[in-house]
DNA sequence: TAATTAATTTAGACAAATCTAAAAATATGT
DNA sequence: ACATATTTTTAGATTTGTCTAAATTAATTA
């Protein structure tokens, strides 16, 4: 009855199921997992059987899946490792936020409780990763931020960029180029009706910046005090 | 004709072949690899075929193996990563030298040139790992130390502990307990004829320390100036 | 040198993680 | 409600890395 070991592959499935659950778009289906992982549906069905046998998910054929407490715990710990490493790579090694995800995908599977306790302490128990995502603590607890997409900002509102909803290197590099990085404050000067784009003024700058709705939907912001 | 990718498993085989080659105990046989890896000889034969196909080793049936330049380069880079991580784990995270090897066995397979360039710089381009083993630079070059086993020390000679020939946690913990750690200087006070054990006096201490031949063979030392 | 022993390779099997193609179940639209 | 479309599962195959048992080659000993 001891802890069965979970393979890297299984960890990846659990992480994806966790993320689909987080999005809360209803039932977590075989096809949604298949799509997100780029793996054939038949292969996913196979793995769901294995994860179910290990009691990491509940699964009834054709009915979709959900994480058990044990599966959720495993997923959260993988995410904790991923985000701790990303923080390390950016803050200590000086890599940029658009190149750490790929490396963290590898590092998140390293097994050693002690390593992560030490790493966490070394990094001074950071609460957020370089993309603004919360880092679970060693018990798996973390605070969910109340960030909203920039696309739902109010005219003349003052906001702070606190996260991204797209972690692709291209998007992150675009943000870097235009100076829309985490912590950047801005005021909404105009909301275009015809294309839902924005004109914002970044604090401490002169020129207004146009932000398409596409971009605005993927930028997470928090209301700033005026 | 591009760089074929090398799996983690293949990297482990190359590393073992490299280490057997380093020991220079003549021909590198299927059985020596099998023994060192704890894998059946038949499995080793199989893998030797694959490594040979990839031109990472030269291999003629029944004749033993040797690394090609490409295979040696791969092995050295894995060792570089292993030792850089060990240095990081001890110097930055504060883990002890007896608990880092296992973790480094996992970390040594992380793929990212940039990560290791940055890590190397962050650690200030260390020349040795926590066990006194040299860390290859990004071109694979490293200086081989002229350390000798303590068992061949001269009576009344003054030496410096600079390495270990056994990396097991038990041995390293024994050394820690008795204070025989890297950098520790000592003078050989007695050499017992009947069991080839030593009595040494560590610099800055009063009591002589008995060191069995077993231990002395596994401790690497360098002559110190008197 | 011939017999015996030891090392190595071959043959056949298995588990994990994947695939494609076909079958079965569920969902959708008129 | 029934036909059609979509989703999911099953069946069978493949790749990688491993195993055991048997066959073969090399080494040792008498
Ligand atoms: Mn990431
Ligand atoms: Mn992140
Ligand atoms: Mn090591
Ligand atoms: Mn080492």
């Amino acid at each position: 009855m001891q802890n069965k070991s979970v393979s890297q592959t299984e960890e990846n499935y659990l992480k994806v199921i966790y993320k689909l659950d987080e999005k809360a778009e209803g039932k977590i289906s075989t096809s949604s997992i298949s799509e997100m992982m780029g793996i054939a549906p038949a292969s996913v069905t196979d793995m769901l059987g294995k994860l179910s046998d290990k009691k990491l998910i509940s699964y009834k054929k054709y009915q979709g899946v959900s994480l058990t407490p044990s599966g959720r715990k495993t997923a959260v710990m993988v995410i904790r490792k991923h985000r701790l490493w990303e923080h390390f790579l950016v803050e200590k090694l000086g890599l940029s936020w658009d190149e750490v995800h790929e490396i963290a995908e590898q590092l998140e599977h390293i097994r050693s409780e002690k390593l992560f306790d030490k790493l966490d302490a070394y990094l001074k128990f950071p609460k957020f990763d370089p993309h603004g995502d919360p880092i679970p603590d060693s018990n798996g607890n973390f605070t969910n931020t109340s960030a909203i997409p920039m696309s739902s900002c109010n005219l003349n509102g003052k906001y702070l960029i606190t996260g991204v909803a797209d972690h692709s290197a291209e998007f992150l590099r675009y943000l870097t180029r235009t100076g829309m990085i985490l912590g950047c404050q801005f005021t909404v000067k105009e909301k275009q009706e015809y294309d839902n784009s924005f004109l914002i003024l970044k604090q401490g700058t002169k020129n207004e910046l146009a932000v398409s709705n596409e971009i605005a939907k993927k930028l997470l912001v928090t209301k700033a005090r005026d």
Side-chain angles (χ1 to χ4, degrees), chain A residues 5-16:
Chain A
S5 88
V6 180
S7 73
Q8 290 201 185
T9 307
E10 289 166 340
E11 286 186 344
N12 285 335
Y13 275 90
L14 292 174
K15 200 177 45 156
V16 164

Side-chain angles (χ1 to χ4, degrees), chain A residues 110-149:
Chain A
I110 300 296
R111 277 156 221 285
S112 166
E113 280 246 353
K114 190 152 186 184
L115 163 60
F116 289 97
D117 289 350
K118 293 282 194 176
L119 182 61
D120 201 4
Y122 182 59
L123 300 174
K124 312 259 178 64
F125 306 101
K127 293 269 183 296
F128 298 97
D129 86 355
H131 311 103
D133 295 311
I135 301 177
D137 68 20
S138 59
N139 297 122
N141 301 120
F142 60 94
T143 51
N144 239 319
T145 62
S146 50
I148 56 168

Side-chain angles (χ1 to χ4, degrees), chain A residues 1-11 14 47 50-51 53-56 70 74 109 111:
Chain A
M1 201 78 93
Q2 68 232 23
N3 265 334
K4 294 156 190 86
S5 88
V6 180
S7 73
Q8 290 201 185
T9 307
E10 289 166 340
E11 286 186 344
L14 292 174
M47 180 57 80
K50 289 182 205 166
L51 294 174
D53 289 348
K54 292 191 175 182
K55 309 240 190 295
L56 295 163
S70 155
T74 303
H109 302 293
R111 277 156 221 285

Side-chain angles (χ1 to χ4, degrees), chain A residues 18-214:
Chain A
Y18 180 89
K19 299 211 155 172
L20 287 168
D21 187 43
E22 233 180 359
K23 284 206 290 183
E25 284 169 349
K27 195 188 78 165
I28 299 168
S29 63
T30 300
S31 55
S32 60
I33 299 168
S34 159
E35 216 173 294
M36 181 165 285
M37 299 187 80
I39 282 173
S43 311
V44 173
T45 298
D46 221 74
M47 180 57 80
L48 295 183
K50 289 182 205 166
L51 294 174
S52 184
D53 289 348
K54 292 191 175 182
K55 309 240 190 295
L56 295 163
I57 61 173
S58 349
Y59 169 57
K60 290 266 168 49
K61 276 186 207 172
Y62 299 101
Q63 307 305 294
V65 298
S66 62
L67 291 168
T68 62
S70 155
R72 166 166 282 102
K73 182 73 184 276
T74 303
V76 168
M77 289 326 257
V78 173
I79 288 168
R80 166 172 156 81
K81 294 185 201 175
H82 183 103
R83 293 180 181 166
L84 274 179
W85 279 120
E86 285 190 344
H87 185 91
F88 166 76
L89 293 172
V90 168
E91 297 304 322
K92 299 292 185 180
L93 297 196
L95 290 159
S96 55
W97 71 339
D98 57 74
E99 53 193 2
V100 295
H101 178 76
E102 246 203 319
I103 303 174
E105 284 290 306
Q106 302 175 59
L107 287 165
E108 74 189 2
H109 302 293
I110 300 296
R111 277 156 221 285
S112 166
E113 280 246 353
K114 190 152 186 184
L115 163 60
F116 289 97
D117 289 350
K118 293 282 194 176
L119 182 61
D120 201 4
Y122 182 59
L123 300 174
K124 312 259 178 64
F125 306 101
K127 293 269 183 296
F128 298 97
D129 86 355
H131 311 103
D133 295 311
I135 301 177
D137 68 20
S138 59
N139 297 122
N141 301 120
F142 60 94
T143 51
N144 239 319
T145 62
S146 50
I148 56 168
M150 184 192 276
S151 51
S152 61
C153 283
N154 297 319
L155 186 60
N156 295 317
K158 201 169 164 188
Y159 299 90
L160 196 61
I161 298 179
T162 53
V164 291
D166 173 353
H167 294 69
S168 73
E170 302 73 51
F171 181 61
L172 298 176
R173 279 199 297 267
Y174 170 80
L175 294 182
T176 304
R177 258 200 324 279
T178 55
M180 294 194 287
I181 60 176
L182 293 202
C184 157
Q185 274 196 36
F186 66 91
T187 308
V188 179
K189 289 296 180 188
E190 281 186 43
K191 285 178 77 169
Q192 306 302 141
E193 280 301 322
Y194 64 98
D195 70 346
N196 293 303
S197 74
F198 289 74
L199 274 187
I200 66 171
L201 182 65
K202 287 194 295 174
Q203 194 174 60
T205 66
K206 286 280 159 59
N207 296 334
E208 288 180 349
L209 185 65
V211 181
S212 73
N213 184 251
E214 287 281 82

